[in-house]
Amino acid sequence: MTTLELVVWGVNEMTEISRNQIHEIRYRPEGSYPYGLEVFRVSDLRRRTSQEGMRRTYGYTFYMLILVTEGQSNQMLDFEPCLGAAGSLLMVRPGQAHNFGESEDWDGWILLVRPDFLWPASSREDLRSGFDIERFPACIHIDAMGLERAESVIQWMRKDAACNDESSSEHPPHDLGRSTQFVEDMQSHLRYGFYALVSWLAITYRNTHFDDQRRRPTLMRFHQFKDLVEQHFVEWKSVCTYAREMGCTERSLTRAALDAEGISAKEYVLRRLGLEAKRLLIHADWPVGVIADHLGFQEATHFSKFFRRIAGCTPQQFRSVNGHE
């Protein structure tokens, strides 16, 4: 079974079990496929998955880069619309809520990447100091020339990854797949290719907003704040706690958040807490009271009041609207 079949198997399985189960797809390749990266078409996934399965919201334990090559997609990422025509690239990170959307009139490439694939096992191959996928934008748009180049790179990565697949018709049959050294070398080759692709995209299409030298200190402060929020948003709900940890004033922290996101530092923390609440309501078969306790609310009523402010509806209404009965 290839990695692609496993991904599809995960989606199909979710359509057969109760809607209240955890909608999480794990990366567990079976059979002969040995790599932590796989490349396939959205249309391949769609052909092998039910329509209901493609329209559900899922969380993943791996990264996915989804490059739209034709048509107009209406994907959702963390419950926000990500509309995109050809050239739109979406980065889906582990734990995020993703939906391919209801539209089927589009196609593109999917690069499925296991987290440990990004970090080489050998110190001789260590590139971590120069590569941070977490700083890659959630969505960028590539122009026509860039799209042609990106597609060419992706297609070559797909061909190279198929070298070890005995069932693939991409290469003539030979015994390359039997060598452990070959697998290790190809894994490194694919990793370098992925680094090169993502780094080129970041350099070429990065937001000039972040290149303004005058704003870099403020933006660096915001990124530090953002990292702390990811680690502590459940137990740290006060901006003064973050400011004290960072050694700055609440005012300067709020200014950094306003400059980077257009909202206050307090609002940023509340939205992150609200996003986690949405993810749990969709992905977990937990009562609302359990979710409230998990997120640090002393009373379920306090959580419901908070959630209504964030989402404009009650937690149960949110579950119902998103197909979680």
Side-chain angles (χ1 to χ4, degrees), residues 49-292:
T49 308
S50 69
Q51 186 178 71
E52 180 186 358
M54 286 296 295
R55 292 184 176 182
R56 300 199 65 165
T57 300
Y58 294 99
Y60 310 103
T61 59
F62 44 81
Y63 293 89
M64 283 202 309
L65 270 69
I66 305 171
L67 176 62
V68 180
T69 58
E70 55 189 88
Q72 178 83 31
S73 77
N74 60 345
Q75 299 177 78
M76 300 283 290
L77 184 62
D78 278 339
F79 311 100
E80 296 293 333
C82 297
L83 305 179
S88 294
L89 178 70
L90 187 66
M91 166 74 79
V92 184
R93 293 170 169 80
Q96 289 189 299
H98 173 253
N99 189 304
F100 280 100
E102 295 187 0
S103 173
E104 298 183 1
D105 191 26
W106 67 279
D107 203 358
W109 290 102
I110 296 177
L111 275 71
L112 187 154
V113 184
R114 195 173 62 204
D116 60 357
F117 170 83
L118 298 174
W119 315 131
S122 170
S123 60
R124 294 175 299 175
E125 199 189 332
D126 194 354
L127 289 178
R128 272 179 283 187
S129 60
F131 183 83
D132 186 359
I133 197 170
E134 293 302 328
R135 294 295 171 89
F136 193 84
C139 187
I140 62 174
H141 186 80
I142 306 171
D143 58 30
M145 185 176 297
L147 178 58
E148 183 178 352
R149 173 173 172 175
E151 275 208 272
S152 176
V153 172
I154 291 171
Q155 288 168 357
W156 274 111
M157 291 175 70
R158 185 187 195 185
K159 288 178 180 293
D160 290 344
C163 282
N164 198 70
D165 189 347
E166 296 176 354
S167 63
S168 172
S169 60
E170 296 282 357
H171 294 269
H174 41 66
D175 202 36
L176 289 175
R178 300 306 167 195
S179 167
T180 300
Q181 185 62 53
F182 172 81
V183 172
E184 293 177 356
D185 290 345
M186 180 58 72
Q187 179 90 330
S188 297
H189 167 69
L190 292 172
R191 182 181 297 116
Y192 276 96
F194 181 77
Y195 283 166
L197 173 64
V198 176
S199 297
W200 166 70
L201 290 169
I203 291 169
T204 306
Y205 298 99
R206 63 188 172 190
N207 192 338
T208 55
H209 170 83
F210 291 95
D211 287 337
D212 189 337
Q213 294 289 340
R214 296 168 297 179
R215 306 179 72 178
R216 282 197 174 182
T218 301
L219 293 171
M220 288 176 64
R221 175 168 291 164
F222 171 74
H223 282 303
Q224 183 184 0
F225 169 62
K226 181 180 178 181
D227 290 342
L228 284 174
V229 171
E230 285 298 313
Q231 298 173 45
H232 302 289
F233 65 87
V234 171
E235 64 268 28
W236 294 359
K237 296 183 175 66
S238 172
V239 174
C240 70
T241 305
Y242 292 96
R244 183 168 57 248
E245 179 71 17
M246 294 171 61
C248 66
T249 65
E250 291 183 50
R251 179 177 296 181
S252 63
L253 189 53
T254 292
R255 188 164 54 246
L258 284 169
D259 198 37
E261 294 288 315
I263 57 175
S264 68
K266 179 180 179 180
E267 184 66 19
Y268 184 86
V269 175
L270 291 178
R271 289 190 184 185
R272 180 61 185 89
L273 189 64
L275 172 60
E276 195 68 17
K278 291 178 180 179
R279 289 175 176 174
L280 290 172
L281 285 166
I282 295 300
H283 296 324
D285 185 23
W286 293 354
V288 171
V290 173
I291 293 177

